[in-house]
Amino acid sequence: MLKIPGYEGGPLTDGGVHLDDPLFWPVHLGSSLRGEDAQRAAFGADWDAAMELHGVLSAEEEWPTFSMPLHSGHTIHVVYRNIDGDRGVDYLIHHPTWPAAETLAVDDGHFMGPGMAWPELLSAARQSPTTGVSDPDARLLLLFPTLGDAELPDDAAVPLTTALSALTLIEEPAEVASMLLEGQGQWAPAHWRSADGVLINDGGHSYRNPGNTFALPGGRLLEITEALSRGEATDHPTSR
């Protein structure tokens, strides 16, 4: 059984078996697919099959877990938290020197986030490890629900469309990519800025907003900033 230091959870299991299922991706991205048009574009005639898969992913007996190592030695874990009455997806980051994993974002009815800015999402997706989830398209879609960025580049839909085309059977991937970017996470898109080398935001539900009482400590915020940007570092449009 998988273990994540400090994470009090249930039976964590390797979720890799789901990565080759084209239906997994619209199910995973469901919280960012708001409205009937988005649902129809993403699921098409496969709605019943998607709901069946959702039931499998939500089973209490197994908590599908996806691990994405970064070049810095940190690992991002995506965990389907299947507690009866408290289901959701937790996005965690851990380093072997830390006593416990830290939470980047939570995708559930009591959401917490955003956890990443757009350049960080791309950077984390494009880091190619030798273990865990290594495919850049899969990493991009797995981590997409952590996104909350009010300043997206004009070409943001391009890599997202590429990933959807490669991994799903969605008929109009460019349309769905645009819908995802419009919806992003459950939170309002945040404004990000650099403060003394730390990328922070103004989100009222984000662990990466130092103004929140529950924010991560400054040292952790700096380390997370460096880890997420280590692959293909790009300046955020709002950085100073």
Side-chain angles (χ1 to χ4, degrees), residues 42-161:
F43 293 101
D46 294 323
W47 179 257
D48 289 341
M51 291 303 96
E52 183 177 347
L53 175 59
H54 183 269
V56 172
L57 292 168
S58 303
E60 294 179 46
E61 296 79 17
E62 294 186 355
W63 293 18
T65 302
F66 307 87
S67 298
M68 286 162 278
L70 302 175
H71 292 163
S72 60
H74 297 75
T75 299
I76 300 175
H77 301 284
V78 180
V79 181
Y80 276 70
R81 172 179 21 89
N82 295 331
I83 299 174
D84 186 22
D86 187 29
R87 287 182 170 84
V89 182
D90 295 328
Y91 294 82
L92 314 166
I93 186 168
H94 181 254
H95 190 273
T97 61
W98 297 0
E102 302 284 7
T103 302
L104 281 174
V106 178
D107 188 6
D108 65 8
H110 305 283
F111 60 85
M112 298 295 290
M116 291 190 195
W118 175 255
E120 295 179 316
L121 177 62
L122 283 185
S123 172
R126 292 170 175 170
Q127 297 185 38
S128 300
T130 57
T131 60
V133 180
S134 59
D135 179 68
D137 291 331
R139 289 166 70 101
L140 180 65
L141 297 187
L142 278 170
L143 295 174
F144 182 84
T146 68
L147 177 67
D149 196 330
E151 300 290 340
L152 295 174
D154 293 339
D155 62 351
V158 174
L160 198 54
T161 299

Side-chain angles (χ1 to χ4, degrees), residues 188-211:
H191 294 87
W192 294 80
R193 65 185 180 88
S194 180
D196 297 323
V198 179
L199 196 61
I200 60 175
N201 66 61
D202 60 359
H205 302 278
S206 179
Y207 294 107
R208 297 183 67 188
N209 176 2

